[in-house]
Amino acid sequence: MKLARPFLKWTAERAARAGFLAGRGWSRDEIAADEILGATTPKALEHMLRRWKIPLMKTRGGKCVLCALSPSETERLEAAARARSMSLEMLAEELLSIVAGDAALIENILDDEA
């Protein structure tokens, strides 16, 4: 006999935890398996995320990288993003994807910094 999962109501605290993990780039399955969040299925999680208007990040199978920028760095990148009708996040993802796709470019940037 298969035991049913315990029903846990989607409280604001649970939704906030799911949103935090989604913002960190966790997949739907990873969030559903989170022990702190409590037992849930990926399908139930997806429904809750839509209801609370919490987007899942598109990590393309990779990792979500968070970093802090100085005010001047942020200003420069925001200006570049505006000029291209992009969000700051979209521009940052594009820049990192371009650099990460070229090992020689990574080395050149890092070697020139030294």
Side-chain angles (χ1 to χ4, degrees):
M1 176 165 90
K2 185 177 179 182
L3 296 175
R5 287 182 162 200
F7 176 76
L8 295 173
K9 185 176 179 175
W10 282 109
T11 62
E13 292 81 10
R14 289 184 73 219
R17 172 77 180 170
F20 171 77
L21 297 176
R24 298 284 306 204
W26 286 33
S27 72
R28 182 185 74 155
D29 293 336
E30 289 171 324
I31 297 169
D34 179 57
E35 291 180 14
I36 296 172
L37 185 64
T40 190
T41 65
K43 187 173 182 172
L45 173 74
E46 197 170 294
H47 177 73
M48 183 281 303
L49 292 172
R50 271 196 310 273
R51 188 166 50 104
W52 286 72
K53 296 180 174 71
I54 300 171
L56 280 173
M57 296 180 76
K58 295 176 178 76
T59 61
R60 301 183 300 180
K63 292 288 182 187
C64 175
V65 178
L66 301 176
C67 63
L69 300 172
S70 72
S72 63
E73 292 166 339
T74 302
E75 191 176 306
R76 250 188 319 276
L77 288 176
E78 284 177 338
R82 273 192 307 278
R84 291 159 180 81
S85 300
M86 301 171 83
S87 69
L88 172 63
E89 294 79 10
M90 289 171 63
L91 178 73
E93 180 183 0
E94 182 71 18
L95 287 170
L96 283 173
S97 293
I98 291 167
V99 171
D102 186 339
L105 182 56
I106 293 171
E107 291 304 315
N108 288 336
I109 291 169
L110 295 175
D111 286 345
D112 289 347
E113 292 273 329

